[in-house]
Each structure stands twice: as C-alpha cells, then as structure tokens.
Amino acid sequence: MQHRTSGWATAVQATLHCLTGCAIGEVLGMVIGTGLGWGNLPTTVLAIVLAFVFGYSLTLRGALKGGLDFRAAVQVALAADTLSIAVMELIDNGVIVLWPDAMDAALADLLFWASLAISLAVAFVATVPVNKWMIGRGKGHAVVHQHHAH
C-alpha cells in the first residue's frame, strides 16, 4: 500500500529541499577548503559535514515552526533526511572524484564550478527515486510533512 503523498511530484519536492541544504553545505565546504589550500580529503570531509548540517537545519527549522520541541524536531530531521543526504553526498562527491582534474580545480576555474553544479544535478536525479521509495513507505519527508509548518 502506498502512502497518499508518494507521487513523483512529492519526491521531487523533497529532493529539492534536500538539494538546497546539501548544495549550500557542499559549495561552502568546497569553497572554504579550496580557498584555504586544503587537500582533497579535508576539503571533501568539510563539504560533506556542512551538507549534512545545512540539510538537517532546513528540516529542523520547519519542524520547529510546526510546533515540535527541539528534541522531537531533531529526531524528525534525522529520520527524514539521513538517507537522502547520504545518497546525495555519495553521488555528488563520487562524480567530482571521478571527473578528471575536478579535484584539483581552483576557485577561479570554470571546471570547479561546472563540476560542482553538474555533480549536484546528477545527485538530484539519483536521489529522487530514493525519496519516492521512502515517502511511499511513510518515511523520509512523509514524516516531515506531518510536522511541518506550511
């Protein structure tokens, strides 16, 4: 039995929400690490950590506005976003790692920005079916919609 909000449009909306937080954190982490001259590993770790922080923060904000206390809002954010952010980050960073010379591109290089934008787009496409599957089972952003302020 499918949850009533398990359609593709809902999955796309949930993934766009996830993409927003991931993109803010990912871009910020890559810009900070690259700008400071850090190596690939610490830059990537920072980008992933910030993607999770910003991804969870957006859901947390909505859950708190919806009336949940902080502990409950954190639980909703963790349950709703962990798999989605993890898949998005795995695909996003995988594309960048596999893209020739992308890991060595400087902030002023078109390759830096193009590889980041394209990797996030690929990650979005790969994550939509994951969110549709989770929402169809009453998990992921289906949980958020029960508590979210509109």
Side-chain angles (χ1 to χ4, degrees):
M1 183 172 104
Q2 287 205 334
H3 194 269
R4 65 180 175 80
T5 58
S6 63
W8 285 105
T10 303
V12 166
Q13 182 182 15
T15 308
L16 283 171
H17 181 268
C18 180
L19 177 68
T20 302
C22 286
I24 292 168
E26 185 75 26
V27 171
L28 189 59
M30 290 291 187
V31 167
I32 290 170
T34 302
L36 293 175
W38 290 3
N40 292 337
L41 183 59
T43 298
T44 302
V45 169
L46 177 63
I48 292 169
V49 167
L50 290 177
F52 274 93
V53 167
F54 280 94
Y56 288 140
S57 294
L58 292 178
T59 298
L60 188 62
R61 192 186 97 213
L64 290 169
K65 278 185 173 180
L68 292 181
D69 64 41
F70 185 76
R71 182 183 173 111
V74 167
Q75 290 173 338
V76 166
L78 291 173
D81 291 337
T82 300
L83 182 60
S84 182
I85 296 170
V87 169
M88 191 162 285
E89 285 303 295
L90 178 68
I91 301 298
D92 169 47
N93 286 287
V95 169
I96 291 174
V97 167
L98 295 174
W99 191 312
D101 302 320
M103 293 295 289
D104 299 319
L107 291 176
D109 296 340
L110 176 61
L111 179 59
F112 177 91
W113 298 102
S115 64
L116 198 50
I118 291 169
S119 69
L120 286 165
V122 171
F124 171 81
V125 171
T127 307
V128 170
V130 172
N131 281 323
K132 183 176 186 311
W133 177 80
M134 288 181 12
I135 291 166
R137 280 143 191 80
K139 303 194 182 312
H141 273 259
V143 175
V144 173
H145 288 286
Q146 296 169 9
H147 303 288
H148 211 280
H150 294 286

